[in-house]
Amino acid sequence: KQEVTQIPAALSVPEGENLVLNCSFTDSAIYNLQWFRQDPGKGLTSLLLIQSSQREQTSGRLNASLDKSSGRSTLYIAASQPGDSATYLCAVRLGTGNQFYFGTGTSLTVIP
Amino acid sequence: DTGVSQDPRHKITKRGQNVTFRCDPISEHNRLYWYRQTLGQGPEFLTYFQNEAQLEKSRLLSDRFSAERPKGSFSTLEIQRTEQGDSAMYLCASSLLTDGAGYTFGSGTRLTVV
């Protein structure tokens, strides 16, 4: 079974800072990896999807990287804003099967 | 509407009652998934449909749980004889049949069993 770990569990930063969220997974035979954002009591919003053949994806102030061999992905958020406050979840899909395996998330608070 | 819709948003039920949730996926998405999320945890896979066929079921899906996707469109998740441990957010997601496609999630149904 794929184990997905996210560090740190919680992070608090002042507005304007750049920050990095980490995701590690135990089985490197992944198919793709997806980063999501979840606001309290809400569903998940997709941020970035990285295929196993890709090294990174960018969308606006977000950049996600993937290093399959080391079993790691990072989500970089530039110039953080209070509206970025949410829980960020990393999900990994293996080459076999159709389900995503989720980490427990990083709770981000951006202080104005 | 181009998103995944779930109904109801919230459900409070007494222990022992049956509940049913509905998910309407994005219309062109062939794949549909149900996940369960408890407080402070990431979502856990329950089951997966490709069109109307239920292709995968987690061991989390006890015999009190049943899911259907008639005609490959909307899906329902029924929980019979609810228990307090069933209290959670039930999330539905859909994706294209294309290899490598990502998920789009709905807003979820929050179930509270009292």
Side-chain angles (χ1 to χ4, degrees), chain A residues 7-8 14 19 29 34 36 38 55 62 65 73 92 111-112:
Chain A
I7 295 173
L19 58 101
Q34 196 163 0
F36 294 90
Q38 186 173 33
R55 298 283 295 191
L62 305 180
S65 68
S73 176
V92 175
I111 303 165

Side-chain angles (χ1 to χ4, degrees), chain B residues 73-88:
Chain B
S73 55
F74 71 92
S75 176
T76 58
L77 178 68
E78 181 184 16
I79 308 174
Q80 296 181 327
R81 305 181 302 282
T82 52
E83 301 172 356
Q84 286 189 319
D86 297 331
S87 296

